Amino acid sequence: MPATTQQSTPEVLLQVTSTGLNWPTPPVFASPEDERLHLQQRLAAGFRIFAMHGFEAGIAGHISARDPILTDHFWVNPLGMHFSRITVSDLVLIDHDGRIVQGQHPVNAAAFSIHSRIHRARPDVVAAAHSHSRYGTAFASLGRPLPPITQEACAFYGDHAVMQAYGGIASELSEGDLIAQSLGQGKAVICRNHAHFTVGHSVDEAVFWFLRMERAFEQYLLACAVGSPVEIDAATAAATARQVGSHRAGWFAMQPLMDKVIAEQPELLD
């Protein structure tokens, strides 16, 4: 009788649960200092990723990250430095009152007025991302929510808002308050005639949602250019959002690109 061989079943990392996919868990740190360094490194890498995608627009655009030790402070990019050149040592630490606590450079007034209000209004938000990206600014001119026509768009289904007011450059705290209020408890807000903002429980997540939303905008605008896109029904869009729109999903989906950028541009860690 021939010998039988037993085939092993491959391990399935992403398993479906009652609440969606069971995603891997973000890292846990031995000390707040280790967590701060990790956050700074991911933030610097996030700017490099923005540069890779053409999200630099003069001095516009910023990503902020709440400091894990001084939780009413956040790290942000220096004013006038190209995203592709930013390193850990270039980052600026600023408090919610606008005082620079650490860093050698000034910061964008809009970065302070908007991000300080988002971080103040949303204690759960670790990071917020924004730039004047090509498709984000184009879609923002429509003044409407993102329709669920693709899986990418479904990640934001029922989890983003539209701010209908536009008051010019958002350098006043009142404008930052309006953006934070419009964001509510969602992961993103589209500011009409401006662009979009995304937030997350990590730098990785906030950056990924920005990239994912930009792609969803592109898909919608391309589809509209050739026809009338068919929207996914509400029940399916909501189920898809539970599968691909969680905090862990956003964090994990960013890991391949984060790892690539850090491996190829290790000087950003300096």
Side-chain angles (χ1 to χ4, degrees), residues 16-151:
V16 179
T17 69
S18 60
T19 57
L21 293 173
N22 183 24
W23 297 92
T25 305
V28 176
F29 302 94
S31 70
E33 290 75 18
D34 288 346
E35 184 176 1
R36 172 185 276 176
L37 178 59
H38 178 83
L39 178 140
Q40 292 172 312
Q41 292 173 341
R42 305 311 260 196
L43 184 56
F47 289 116
R48 301 295 182 101
I49 290 169
F50 265 32
M52 287 172 54
H53 287 81
F55 295 160
E56 72 280 6
I59 61 172
H62 14 85
I63 309 172
S64 64
R66 187 190 302 274
D67 187 75
I69 299 174
L70 303 171
T71 56
D72 59 348
H73 293 54
F74 59 92
W75 297 91
V76 72
N77 49 304
L79 176 65
M81 181 172 289
H82 197 274
F83 292 164
S84 66
R85 297 183 56 208
I86 293 176
T87 69
V88 167
S89 59
D90 294 317
L91 299 173
V92 180
L93 181 64
I94 188 170
D95 68 16
H96 287 179
D97 294 319
R99 291 184 290 263
I100 294 178
V101 176
Q102 185 174 327
Q104 305 299 318
H105 307 278
V107 300
N108 189 315
F112 166 69
S113 64
I114 298 171
H115 290 256
S116 66
R117 303 341 254 180
I118 290 175
H119 285 291
R120 188 190 294 269
R122 290 280 300 276
D124 64 304
V125 164
V126 170
H130 167 67
S131 186
H132 295 181
S133 56
R134 176 180 300 174
Y135 299 105
T137 52
F139 186 89
S141 70
L142 302 177
R144 60 163 300 176
L146 177 63
I149 67 165
T150 62
Q151 180 171 301

Side-chain angles (χ1 to χ4, degrees), residues 177-190:
D177 286 329
L178 284 175
I179 292 173
Q181 291 167 14
S182 299
L183 172 66
Q185 295 303 306
K187 66 159 63 78
V189 58
I190 301 167

